[in-house]
Amino acid sequence: MEIKYVSTTCPYCGTGCGFNLVVRDGKVFDVAHWQRAPVNGGKLCPKGRYAHEFINSPDRLTKPLIKKDGGFVEATWDEAYDLIAEKFGSYNPDEIACLSSARTSNEENYLMQKFARVVLKTPHVDHCARLCHASTVAGLAAVFGSGAMTNSIKDIAESKCVFVLGSNTFEQHPLIGRSIIRAKEAGGKVIVADPRYTPTAKQADLYMPFISGTDVAILNGLMQEIIKNGREDKEFIEKRTKDFEKLKEVVMKDDYSLENVSKVSGTPVEGLRTAAEWIATADVATLIYSMGITQHTVGVDNVKSTANLMMLTGNLGKPGSGVNPLRGQNNVQGACDMGALPNVYSGYQKVTDEAAQKKMKEMWGVEEIAEGKVGYTVTEMVNVLAESPGKLKAMYIMGENPMLSDPDLGHVEEGLRNLEFLVVQDIFLTETAELADVVLPAACYAEKDGTQTNTERRVQRWKKAQDPPGEAKEDWKILCELGSRMGYPEQFAFESPEAVFDEVAAVTPSYHGMSYGRLDPDGLHWPCPTEEHPGTPILHRETFAMPDGLGVFSPIEWKPPAEVPDAEYPFVLTTGRTIWQWHTGTMTRRSWSLEKEAPIGWIEINPEDAKALGIKDEEVVRASTRRGSVEIPARVTPEIIKGVMFIPFHYKEHPANRLTHNALDPVAKIPEFKACAVRVEKITEE
Ligand code: SF4
């Protein structure tokens, strides 16, 4: 019996923890701590600890499937490829769309956008960053010139004031939570603002409950208080920024006095005053946010407002400071970096820039690629499918499950059913794969080499520990075989993920200096422009990545969510996750150690609201919005602010996204998962 240990990177959240997969006789059977792992030093949260359990699930897809007479039949790879090539070849480029995946490697995301642009010649390629941090990419790029976490995870421990807004860090990025605890142990203050009294909030020195959707009002109120007390960092503002006077004109309005902000947000004046004082007077402060900030119709405004606060207080470009969005999926940062987005090639080179188009055509050795227009986002694809049937006719979805992850599931299903031809490539037969015409069985993270980029822009290796089950193949290999079969053998003649990465490095300025050899064992933070460059854990030290080097203040007025409570739907619904499950549950719900901890969904209701509705703890209630209804057990708890209700979105039996609203941020096109109007009622016997 041979046992070996293969060090790799966790497939769940964007923290990017490293661990060892333990392999016996060619099969992974456990996870073991990897003490020198660069991000987590051997520590793991429950999801990482049990990240081996789904790998050899009997539910894994092992053969290509083709739908015939409403059911799936097993097929050979040749049959599946032939059908896909014939069908995709029969549509105009503008009629096909591709979804890439933040669960797959950088190399695979790079290949998917190359496949879309070179082979299909469609501009319509996107991935699930649209649902979580599209507003970060757009918002931070507009104010700093770079749409990513400004500092490193380790760096948070050096902060003297950590302001966590819209992030349940201890449950969703637990190993980043460790850095917050370290900051606290070193005497730093921790402020948490959240509608729920989460495990993160419980660690705070100051907890600020607030009504979902009032972030800009709170941030403007804090800035007014700081300016009123003369605590803004005048030197930083003068030397490093522009448009401060425009910001001041808005935030000094009476609307943003602490009293008025308190009325709008439900958070007490005293908490707001203390937060303003702590942030402004700390030697160094950092702001951490996640999807509580981004998943709104004002997601970009929210992101820009967080940047306003940190520029106002001079908290950028130094250890312990920064604006730090915590990316959700393991490789959502990398999928964006690789250009699996409708508006940019890898390294955020704009598709509308003729010089970038020329560069890509030369690198890819083709005369023609998707014309240089911005394609549809995920959310626009669904809207086009549902509302303009026939405009999009075929889709290729790799490793995504919109039938559970996207807002307003009725609308999503209507859209996907309007497709003439759907290909889904995944490791399990997901709710989305069930609607497909062809299903391609893919390898999981433990079955392939590759790289992923974590939330702090650190590019790290995945290493193969076992073979895929049955005839399943690595996503990069499937894309190469399909690309070759569809007429581009030279463009997809890669023998290994390393060869793909070398092309990524050649064509992507922020990855120019990277190679597999340099990534072992600690990875490298981008930008890493040359082979000698050590990587960049802290951005914006001297200047911002703008043409004039200055950060841009953005005057922003608070706007309410697209749908606010009324007499018919009197509460605010917000959604999120639990530490035990991951997104649509395809992996965690097949991991016994995790599933047994949180096997069913629930709706959190404040005791005062529950009393008024006559609802008891654990009673099954009906939650309804204008999109649909879900019957779900109530969890009556004071740990949620009155007037707001919460449902985790992992459970197909209690699908939160049947209720959510697909109203979009006008710039980032991210949906408003975090606030819509809901009615909750007792279920009475007929
Ligand atoms: Fe994996 Fe994130 Fe947990 Fe680390 S914190 S073990 S990356 S799920």
Side-chain angles (χ1 to χ4, degrees):
M1 182 173 65
E2 190 207 353
I3 291 195
K4 64 175 183 177
Y5 293 80
V6 180
S7 59
T8 195
T9 314
C10 181
Y12 288 113
C13 88
T15 306
C17 297
F19 53 65
N20 281 310
L21 286 169
V22 192
V23 187
R24 181 173 52 210
D25 296 335
K27 288 271 180 225
V28 173
F29 75 97
D30 204 357
V31 159
H33 300 280
W34 176 26
Q35 301 300 346
R36 68 139 355 270
V39 176
N40 53 315
K43 305 280 187 297
L44 293 171
C45 83
K47 283 195 285 285
R49 172 64 191 89
Y50 298 111
H52 60 288
E53 289 191 359
F54 70 87
I55 294 172
N56 291 309
S57 159
D59 295 346
R60 286 289 302 273
L61 290 167
T62 58
K63 281 185 177 250
L65 303 172
I66 293 178
K67 197 167 271 170
K68 287 198 176 126
D69 302 326
F72 284 118
V73 294
E74 291 182 353
T76 64
W77 278 100
D78 277 338
E79 287 166 341
Y81 284 154
D82 283 345
L83 180 59
I84 295 168
E86 181 205 319
K87 285 289 195 177
F88 281 170
S90 71
Y91 297 114
N92 293 322
D94 216 32
E95 294 172 336
I96 314 178
C98 297
L99 287 190
S100 200
S101 171
R103 279 200 292 138
T104 60
S105 67
N106 284 327
E107 293 78 356
E108 291 161 338
N109 277 284
Y110 177 80
L111 287 175
M112 177 53 106
Q113 59 91 34
K114 184 174 175 180
F115 180 83
R117 290 173 167 137
V118 170
V119 180
L120 301 178
K121 308 216 184 296
T122 177
H124 309 310
V125 56
D126 200 12
H127 75 284
C128 63
R130 192 65 49 200
L131 308 178
C132 62
H133 273 283
S135 13
T136 291
V137 178
L140 293 187
V143 296
F144 298 153
S146 173
M149 191 162 162
T150 62
N151 287 54
S152 72
I153 293 169
K154 201 168 144 200
D155 200 62
I156 294 166
E158 298 193 36
S159 188
K160 293 298 166 203
C161 179
V162 182
F163 181 24
V164 183
L165 176 60
S167 160
N168 180 6
T169 319
F170 284 78
E171 279 202 272
Q172 306 316 334
H173 300 84
L175 271 296
I176 296 180
R178 262 181 102 220
S179 287
I180 299 176
I181 289 293
R182 284 191 174 142
K184 194 173 150 125
E185 285 170 353
K189 300 272 195 228
V190 176
I191 306 165
V192 175
D194 200 296
R196 300 168 66 222
Y197 190 50
T198 61
T200 313
K202 287 171 191 165
Q203 297 294 334
D205 298 291
L206 170 64
Y207 168 53
M208 298 162 65
F210 72 98
I211 294 166
S212 192
T214 57
D215 310 78
V216 167
I218 289 173
L219 288 159
N220 281 354
L222 295 176
M223 287 188 270
Q224 182 181 114
E225 180 69 8
I226 288 167
I227 295 170
K228 265 187 184 166
N229 287 292
R231 287 177 170 148
E232 71 273 26
D233 186 332
K234 297 177 185 69
E235 195 185 340
F236 186 92
I237 294 167
E238 169 69 25
K239 290 191 177 146
R240 303 274 321 260
T241 69
K242 64 183 182 188
D243 295 343
F244 174 60
E245 289 305 319
K246 291 184 191 164
L247 173 88
K248 207 169 155 186
E249 216 171 284
V250 168
V251 301
M252 296 312 284
K253 287 183 177 173
D254 193 42
D255 290 352
Y256 304 115
S257 69
L258 295 191
E259 290 70 24
N260 285 334
V261 168
S262 177
K263 275 186 211 146
V264 166
S265 66
T267 200
V269 168
E270 219 25 65
L272 288 162
R273 187 168 288 125
T274 306
E277 184 191 328
W278 286 1
I279 294 164
T281 59
D283 285 347
V284 60
T286 185
L287 188 149
I288 292 174
Y289 73 79
S290 195
M291 284 169 273
I293 280 288
T294 59
Q295 289 179 331
H296 289 281
T297 44
V298 292
V300 173
D301 282 356
N302 284 350
V303 169
K304 287 181 175 174
S305 296
T306 65
N308 284 340
L309 176 64
M310 300 322 270
M311 286 195 288
L312 183 76
T313 51
N315 278 304
L316 283 152
K318 56 188 178 183
S321 71
V323 176
N324 291 306
L326 305 186
R327 307 297 298 255
Q329 292 260 43
N330 56 332
N331 196 31
V332 71
Q333 181 66 57
C336 293
D337 298 347
M338 293 301 105
L341 295 169
N343 58 335
V344 288
Y345 304 117
S346 67
Y348 306 96
Q349 302 170 86
K350 289 189 169 64
V351 296
T352 48
D353 175 1
E354 284 182 15
Q357 291 167 19
K358 185 166 173 280
K359 173 181 165 181
M360 292 302 157
K361 282 195 247 187
E362 281 171 11
M363 171 57 75
W364 291 338
V366 289
E367 299 276 302
E368 202 193 339
I369 51 176
E371 56 178 293
K373 71 171 186 181
V374 175
Y376 295 135
T377 61
V378 173
T379 41
E380 288 170 324
M381 288 174 198
V382 171
N383 286 345
V384 167
L385 283 169
E387 291 156 22
S388 309
K391 205 166 174 187
L392 274 179
K393 295 195 167 99
M395 265 186 98
Y396 183 5
I397 300 180
M398 172 174 77
E400 298 232 342
N401 190 11
M403 277 298 295
L404 213 48
S405 62
D406 288 24
D408 190 359
L409 291 180
H411 187 67
V412 177
E413 181 168 0
E414 185 189 350
L416 290 179
R417 287 195 187 279
N418 282 338
L419 281 168
E420 290 178 10
F421 187 64
L422 172 62
V423 178
V424 173
Q425 184 168 306
D426 213 310
I427 63 174
F428 293 110
L429 193 68
T430 62
E431 290 72 20
T432 306
E434 281 170 16
L435 298 182
D437 297 283
V438 179
V439 177
L440 301 177
C444 79
Y445 78 105
E447 295 153 356
K448 54 192 174 186
D449 290 323
T451 59
Q452 67 174 47
T453 306
N454 77 349
T455 185
E456 56 173 353
R457 298 170 283 104
R458 188 195 294 258
V459 184
Q460 303 186 97
R461 293 284 314 278
W462 278 353
K463 290 185 186 157
K464 180 172 173 170
Q466 70 166 44
D467 288 329
E471 296 176 23
K473 294 186 188 195
E474 299 92 325
D475 295 276
W476 70 267
K477 204 174 266 179
I478 300 170
L479 285 159
C480 286
E481 290 176 354
L482 204 47
S484 300
R485 188 165 299 227
M486 290 186 70
Y488 294 87
E490 281 171 32
Q491 287 74 11
F492 288 88
F494 298 104
E495 292 289 322
S496 66
E498 186 171 7
V500 183
F501 191 82
D502 289 343
E503 183 172 308
V504 169
V507 79
T508 312
S510 51
Y511 283 61
H512 269 343
M514 296 188 193
S515 62
Y516 272 21
R518 288 198 73 200
L519 294 179
D520 254 345
D522 292 335
L524 283 164
H525 297 263
W526 65 254
C528 175
T530 65
E531 284 172 22
E532 297 73 39
H533 196 282
T536 313
I538 300 178
L539 295 176
H540 317 309
R541 278 187 179 269
E542 306 293 333
T543 57
F544 290 98
M546 303 295 271
D548 58 6
L550 300 176
V552 186
F553 278 112
S554 316
I556 292 169
E557 298 276 9
W558 172 70
K559 296 187 213 84
E563 192 180 67
V564 291
D566 56 17
E568 207 180 343
Y569 298 96
F571 300 99
V572 176
L573 174 68
T574 191
T575 64
R577 300 178 290 188
T578 154
I579 192 170
W580 305 105
Q581 298 285 1
W582 185 248
H583 290 188
T584 67
T586 50
M587 301 187 291
T588 50
R589 300 204 69 189
R590 290 178 173 91
S591 301
W592 163 242
S593 304
L594 300 171
E595 172 70 354
K596 72 180 163 59
E597 299 290 344
I600 54 167
W602 69 90
I603 181 166
E604 282 176 18
I605 306 176
N606 180 278
E608 283 184 51
D609 292 330
K611 192 171 171 203
L613 295 165
I615 288 168
K616 294 192 186 62
D617 192 32
E618 297 188 16
E619 177 179 344
V620 176
V621 298
R622 183 178 299 115
S624 307
T625 66
R626 290 182 174 85
R627 273 71 57 194
S629 294
V630 172
E631 294 189 359
I632 184 166
R635 186 177 286 182
V636 178
T637 168
E639 295 185 351
I640 188 159
I641 191 169
K642 185 172 175 290
V644 179
M645 310 217 171
F646 165 87
I647 303 180
F649 66 85
H650 314 290
Y651 300 95
K652 62 182 177 193
E653 303 85 347
H654 309 112
N657 284 324
R658 192 180 293 161
L659 307 175
T660 48
H661 195 196
N662 76 343
L664 305 181
D665 179 288
V667 177
K669 314 287 183 193
I670 193 169
E672 191 146 63
F673 286 112
K674 290 294 190 237
C676 68
V678 69
R679 175 176 70 231
V680 174
E681 58 205 333
K682 286 179 84 69
I683 298 173
T684 47
E685 298 285 327
E686 297 277 310

